């Protein structure tokens, strides 16, 4: 939570958070509103992870929030056959209370076992992003998450070929490096976590944040951060 306070993003996609961590995080981050849905299919409620989104509640109003499953039946709690577990994508549509500007933030975590489930995830996320863009009038959209694949993977390639840009690719001097550290200080390698933006956004800063807290790892993944602005 201290790292989040240090950077204070407008919206933040988190991975593998459960109900216990939501309670703790909300306590230390009162300036944020949280939206998340448990993926289900786990041994018990406390092990059921979410791909939640935190957003600054005084700055933004949520016009819409929802979750879908990465499966053949995305509208209900379910698992793709062959996947390691239930996988979901959660999203919020945020309206700036002062300027009226609107953008959507989709946050997901693709499967680490099934490449077919990963590919389906890319298709479903793209479909939802396109639907929101149609519904709200070609709004800027950001997609964040642990894709469990390199940027040349099927889901990343699908987003890129359909108008989304990897924020690190369009930011000068971006430290585009490993994002999964495995609880070490390793920084050599390629990312599997991404921030994708559509043409409604322009990225002006990108960083893989490798700082630690009290000399310990904050997570087994590094935070990734992008400063993105509404396109002219």
């Amino acid at each position: 939570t201290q790292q989040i306070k240090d950077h204070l993003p407008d919206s933040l996609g988190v991975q593998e958070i459960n109900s216990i961590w939501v309670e703790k995080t909300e306590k230390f981050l009162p300036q944020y509103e949280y939206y998340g849905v448990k993926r289900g299919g786990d041994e018990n409620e406390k092990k059921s992870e979410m791909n939640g989104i935190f957003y600054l509640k005084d700055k933004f109003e949520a016009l819409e929030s929802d979750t879908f499953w990465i499966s053949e039946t995305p509208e209900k709690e379910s698992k793709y056959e062959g996947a390691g577990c239930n996988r979901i994508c959660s999203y919020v549509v945020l309206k700036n209370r002062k300027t009226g500007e609107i953008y959507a933030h989709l946050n997901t975590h693709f499967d680490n076992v099934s490449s077919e489930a990963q590919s389906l995830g890319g298709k479903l996320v793209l479909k939802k992003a396109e639907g929101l863009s149609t519904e709200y009038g070609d709004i800027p959209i950001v997609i964040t998450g642990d894709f469990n694949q390199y940027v040349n993977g099927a889901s990343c390639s699908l987003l890129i070929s359909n108008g989304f840009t990897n924020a690190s690719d369009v930011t000068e001097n971006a430290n585009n490096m490993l994002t999964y550290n495995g609880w070490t200080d390793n920084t050599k390698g390629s990312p599997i976590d991404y921030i994708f933006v559509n043409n409604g956004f322009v990225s002006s800063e990108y960083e893989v944040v490798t700082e630690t807290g009290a000399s310990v790892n904050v997570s087994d993944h590094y935070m990734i951060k992008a400063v993105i602005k509404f396109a002219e």
Side-chain angles (χ1 to χ4, degrees), residues 33 35 55-57 59-66 91-97 100-105 132 135-137 139-140:
E33 189 72 42
Y35 168 74
Y55 59 92
L56 293 173
K57 60 187 179 183
K59 187 173 183 178
F60 297 100
E61 170 193 1
L63 301 179
E64 180 179 343
S65 58
D66 205 354
Y91 69 89
V92 292
V93 179
L94 300 175
K95 180 179 180 179
N96 189 303
R97 296 181 185 274
E101 292 173 320
I102 297 173
Y103 77 96
H105 184 164
L132 291 172
E135 180 181 354
Y136 288 94
I139 58 172

Side-chain angles (χ1 to χ4, degrees), residues 12-32:
L12 170 74
V14 293
Q15 312 301 325
E16 301 185 8
I17 195 168
N18 63 15
S19 58
I20 297 172
W21 282 103
V22 169
E23 182 179 350
K24 291 177 181 292
T25 306
E26 286 183 320
K27 176 182 177 181
F28 289 104
L29 297 172
Q31 62 271 69
Y32 283 94

Side-chain angles (χ1 to χ4, degrees), residues 212-217:
T212 59
S215 300
V216 298
N217 292 80

